[in-house]
Amino acid sequence: MIRILAVGKMKDKRLAALVVDLLKSTRPLAKTEIVEIRDSDPEREGREMVDRLGSSRGNQLVVALDEHGDAVTSVDLSKLLSAHGDVAFLIGGADGLGPAARERAGRTLRLSSMTLTHEMARLLLVEQVYRGLTILRGMPYHRA
């Protein structure tokens, strides 16, 4: 299962529609869900993310998304998805991820060296998850 825990709601209807469309394509390939965390302050958001993640036991990988994280290619992301039973991605709000969320993460990745809005980060992540899953299945979506 792939879970995306993201702070805030998608306010831009155009971006939200793109996320919904990509999720429709992604869900036949892997169970995928987005959990929205109420926008407040990073500490409270981080604690809520950790609560929603549940136990740290098992085969779940928690990945924090941050502009200072490790750079990975789409192929690297596909390998990460295949190596773990469950993956949870954490997307912070305007003020970033809280300390509890950062500490819970086993990896920190960046989608870009540039700062992205949390809505753009969500769209980009869902697209890259879809791309990674198509790479694993040998589907023609990814051309590299």
Side-chain angles (χ1 to χ4, degrees):
M1 174 175 205
I2 299 168
R3 292 194 314 165
I4 299 169
L5 285 77
V7 172
K9 294 192 177 292
M10 297 285 292
K11 294 175 183 150
D12 186 319
K13 293 182 187 330
R14 297 166 300 166
L15 295 179
L18 291 170
V19 168
V20 168
D21 285 346
L22 279 166
L23 282 174
K24 285 179 186 173
S25 299
T26 303
R27 286 185 172 134
L29 304 176
K31 186 174 180 183
T32 307
E33 72 174 359
I34 294 180
V35 177
E36 291 183 339
I37 305 297
R38 190 172 58 84
D39 194 354
S40 57
D41 63 86
E43 284 194 34
R44 184 174 294 148
E45 295 161 356
R47 286 192 306 268
E48 185 175 345
M49 284 182 173
V50 170
D51 289 346
R52 296 277 186 105
L53 287 169
S55 171
S56 61
R57 286 184 243 128
N59 198 26
Q60 180 183 41
L61 173 65
V62 177
V63 179
L65 296 180
D66 183 271
E67 64 185 314
H68 302 292
D70 298 329
V72 294
T73 66
S74 297
V75 172
D76 293 336
L77 182 65
S78 73
K79 291 175 185 174
L80 184 142
L81 292 172
S82 72
H84 297 276
D86 293 322
V87 180
F89 293 95
L90 310 179
I91 301 174
D95 296 316
L97 285 169
R102 288 178 183 282
E103 290 170 15
R104 179 68 165 75
R107 294 269 320 256
T108 303
L109 303 180
R110 72 171 173 235
L111 295 172
S112 171
S113 296
M114 296 180 279
T115 302
L116 303 171
T117 66
H118 63 277
E119 291 179 317
M120 290 297 292
R122 189 182 311 192
L123 174 60
L124 187 56
L125 176 61
V126 171
E127 192 281 333
Q128 285 300 299
V129 166
Y130 174 68
R131 181 177 297 275
L133 293 170
T134 63
I135 290 169
L136 291 174
R137 286 159 181 77
M139 297 169 69
Y141 181 76
H142 179 72
R143 297 177 191 164

